[in-house]
Structures are given as C-alpha cells and as structure tokens.
Amino acid sequence: MVILGKVVYLRPIKDEDFESIYNSCQNEEFLYMTGTRKTFTLDEITEKYKQFSKDPTRYDFAICLLDNDQIIGDLSILEIDSDNKKAGFRISLHSRNTVNKGYGTEATQLAQKFTFEELNLNRLELEVFSHNIRGIKAYEKAGFKKEGTLRQSLYMNNTYSDEILMGMLQKDYKQGLP
C-alpha cells in the first residue's frame, strides 16, 4: 500500500528503514521535542517495529521523497479504537535538513486521508509538548485543533512543559478538502 502526495509518499516500514529511524533516535533535539529520555539501540528498534507490524491497532509508514525514494521520516496511526472510531497519531522527520520544507505537513495530510477515507475513523488525536513550537504550527497547518492542556506534565532539561492535546474530526477533514 502506497499513499501518494505531491512531494512525499507513505509506504509501509521495511527492514532497511530501521537504520534511518535509529539515527533519528540519537538526535538530542528530536528526543527533547518528543519528551523521550531513553535512547534505543538498532536491535531494540528492529524488535519493536517487528512487534508493531503484528499489531492490528496500528499502521506504521515510512515518509519518502517522490523524486528519489529517500526515507526522510516515519509516522504512525496507532491505538486504533474501532468501537469509538478514533486513533492516535505520531510523526517524526529524521533529519534537520528535512524540516521547514512542508514534508511533515504533507505527510500528516496523507495520514489524515488514510485515517478518514480508508479506515473511516471519526477522530485522529495526538499529544505535543509546548516547547515543540514547530510541531504545534505544523499540526495546526494540517488542520488539528488544540483541545486541552495538561499543565507542566513534562520536566526535562530543567524546565516544565505543558502537554497539549490536539485532535481532528472527520467533518473537519472533509471541510478542508478542495
């Protein structure tokens, strides 16, 4: 299954993607943006993604450039709750030289298309920390709305950050279509 955009496309994670994912997990800034304290070995990442591939409540995708097929990130639609027609969302670009180019926004929009059109869910939700300004702006640009704040829920780098809950409904997605 491939989901095509204008500049990027989504495809299922392959074994050869694990090294790119591993490298992104070594970046201090990226770890801080996601509130991740633990670093992972390549073997741990490989094992986790093998487990994820057997989980019927999640889809993991590589984000690739259309022009050269290079993997530049990954995203997940996870904790799919078919009873309540909702799922969680996470995304990560793997390198600083791929941020601020619209790749993450387009990949997020492709994930929304899959969530609302293919899975026919009603809600896609995420959590983002208040210090991740770039992430918040990207999510808002892709149509997510701030729905709540868990005040000072993360203490990292000697400072507190709020956890912001964001969501998008199928009706919001349909209103935003051209």
Side-chain angles (χ1 to χ4, degrees), residues 34-47:
T34 60
T36 304
R37 297 180 198 283
K38 180 183 180 345
T39 55
F40 299 93
T41 66
L42 181 56
D43 286 342
E44 288 173 322
I45 287 170
T46 301
E47 184 60 33

Side-chain angles (χ1 to χ4, degrees), residues 1 38 40 47 49 57 62 71 88 94 96-97 108 112 131-132 141 148 161 164 166-167 172 176:
M1 163 190 7
K38 180 183 180 345
F40 299 93
E47 184 60 33
Y49 274 91
T57 68
I71 181 174
H94 293 176
R96 293 245 342 110
N97 65 7
T108 299
Q112 291 166 336
H131 61 262
N132 187 353
K141 184 176 177 186
S161 294
I164 299 167
M166 300 182 80
D172 302 329

Side-chain angles (χ1 to χ4, degrees), residues 1-157:
M1 163 190 7
V2 174
I3 305 166
L4 291 174
K6 292 183 171 89
V7 182
V8 302
Y9 67 93
L10 306 180
R11 63 159 172 76
I13 298 277
K14 300 178 185 174
D15 290 354
E16 56 264 28
D17 300 330
F18 298 147
E19 191 166 336
S20 182
I21 294 168
Y22 166 77
N23 289 335
S24 75
C25 290
Q26 307 312 304
N27 183 306
E28 290 288 328
E29 180 189 0
F30 290 0
L31 294 174
Y32 178 56
M33 289 302 136
T34 60
T36 304
R37 297 180 198 283
K38 180 183 180 345
T39 55
F40 299 93
T41 66
L42 181 56
D43 286 342
E44 288 173 322
I45 287 170
T46 301
E47 184 60 33
K48 275 294 180 197
Y49 274 91
K50 299 240 184 235
Q51 288 174 7
F52 294 159
S53 71
K54 296 175 183 147
D55 183 345
T57 68
R58 79 182 277 151
Y59 289 86
D60 292 285
F61 293 99
I63 304 166
C64 302
L65 294 175
L66 267 172
D67 63 357
N68 64 10
D69 295 320
Q70 175 191 354
I71 181 174
I72 60 164
D74 67 284
L75 63 79
S76 302
I77 299 163
L78 61 156
E79 298 172 357
I80 297 170
D81 175 349
S82 45
D83 290 334
N84 293 303
K85 298 181 72 74
K86 68 179 185 173
F89 177 73
R90 61 154 287 282
I91 185 170
S92 175
L93 295 180
H94 293 176
S95 168
R96 293 245 342 110
N97 65 7
T98 58
V99 299
N100 295 324
K101 296 186 176 181
Y103 300 148
T105 300
E106 184 176 20
T108 299
Q109 291 166 336
L110 294 174
Q112 291 166 336
K113 177 179 177 156
F114 179 74
T115 300
F116 297 122
E117 294 181 19
E118 298 299 319
L119 299 178
N120 199 30
L121 298 179
N122 183 58
R123 176 179 172 76
L124 191 60
E125 58 192 30
L126 61 91
E127 299 85 31
V128 60
F129 292 109
S130 56
H131 61 262
N132 187 353
I133 305 299
R134 184 173 62 233
I136 293 167
K137 287 181 180 177
Y139 294 134
E140 288 176 330
K141 184 176 177 186
F144 283 92
K145 307 268 189 274
K146 290 180 182 175
E147 296 181 337
T149 302
L150 302 175
R151 298 179 306 143
Q152 297 184 359
S153 72
L154 177 74
Y155 183 74
M156 195 171 186
N157 294 347

